[in-house]
């Protein structure tokens, strides 16, 4: 248990619903990637979110040198556009079988600010994904008082 991710209080193995969410994200990027193996592309990551009502929404990244949106933020936006307000889970998956990928720092901050108790699926160093809360991804982070997730 020397892996820091295993030491997070909320870390646990994926449940069946989370495994299904990984599959939604994988299918999304497999069906939409514009990059061949070992090629760069605009759409190389897929993400999926689950709502408290059990609905799922997906998104893909839009790579741009200025910092285009990550797949996770696109999926969150799609969920909100459909009226979802309570997001319970999120995962990102790389194209060409790269599997579950960790969210970038910007995404982690967004998760903490808006959905601190949301479950985020992240890979351990060996590749095995686990489920943790967004709050655990940024320990000791500053939370703006005006953030919807501030407590």
């Amino acid at each position: 248990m020397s892996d820091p991710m295993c030491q997070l209080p909320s870390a646990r193995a994926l449940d069946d619903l989370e495994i299904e969410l990984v599959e939604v994200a994988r299918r999304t990027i497999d069906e939409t990637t514009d990059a061949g193996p070992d090629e760069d592309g605009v759409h190389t990551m897929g993400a999926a979110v689950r709502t408290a009502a059990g609905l799922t929404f997906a998104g893909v990244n839009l790579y741009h040198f200025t910092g285009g949106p990550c797949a996770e933020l696109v999926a969150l936006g799609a969920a909100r556009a459909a009226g979802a307000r309570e997001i319970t889970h999120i995962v990102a998956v790389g194209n060409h079988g790269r599997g579950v990928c960790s969210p970038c720092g910007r995404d982690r901050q967004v998760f903490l600010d808006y959905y601190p108790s949301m479950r985020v699926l992240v890979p351990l160093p060996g590749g095995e994904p686990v489920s943790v809360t967004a709050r655990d991804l940024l320990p000791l982070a500053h939370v703006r008082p005006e953030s919807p997730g501030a407590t």
Side-chain angles (χ1 to χ4, degrees):
M1 288 278 271
S2 63
D3 180 355
M5 196 64 68
C6 291
Q7 297 172 7
L8 297 175
S10 66
R12 62 166 173 72
L14 302 189
D15 64 24
D16 289 341
L17 290 175
E18 292 165 337
I19 292 168
E20 180 182 308
L21 195 63
V22 171
E23 181 60 19
V24 170
R26 186 201 59 76
R27 273 195 321 268
T28 297
I29 194 54
D30 285 354
E31 293 171 3
T32 61
T33 190
D34 62 339
D38 301 319
E39 292 179 354
D40 291 333
V42 175
H43 308 291
T44 58
M45 295 292 296
V49 299
R50 181 177 306 282
T51 69
L55 301 173
T56 58
F57 296 90
V60 297
N61 72 314
L62 181 64
Y63 175 79
H64 192 266
F65 74 93
T66 61
C70 296
E72 297 96 323
L73 299 183
V74 173
L76 287 170
R80 181 58 184 214
R85 295 181 183 270
E86 190 177 345
I87 307 299
T88 59
H89 296 81
I90 192 164
V91 65
V93 174
N95 63 344
H96 302 303
R98 289 186 290 140
V100 173
C101 297
S102 286
C104 71
R106 178 180 65 174
D107 290 347
R108 290 172 188 228
Q109 187 66 54
V110 170
F111 300 167
L112 179 67
D113 288 345
Y114 293 100
Y115 309 103
S117 61
M118 174 178 68
R119 304 295 304 187
V120 183
L121 311 184
V122 296
L124 294 174
E128 184 69 24
V130 295
S131 176
V132 301
T133 63
R135 186 177 289 110
D136 275 353
L137 290 176
L138 283 176
L140 306 175
H142 170 74
V143 178
R144 300 170 316 158
E146 66 276 10
S147 294
T151 54

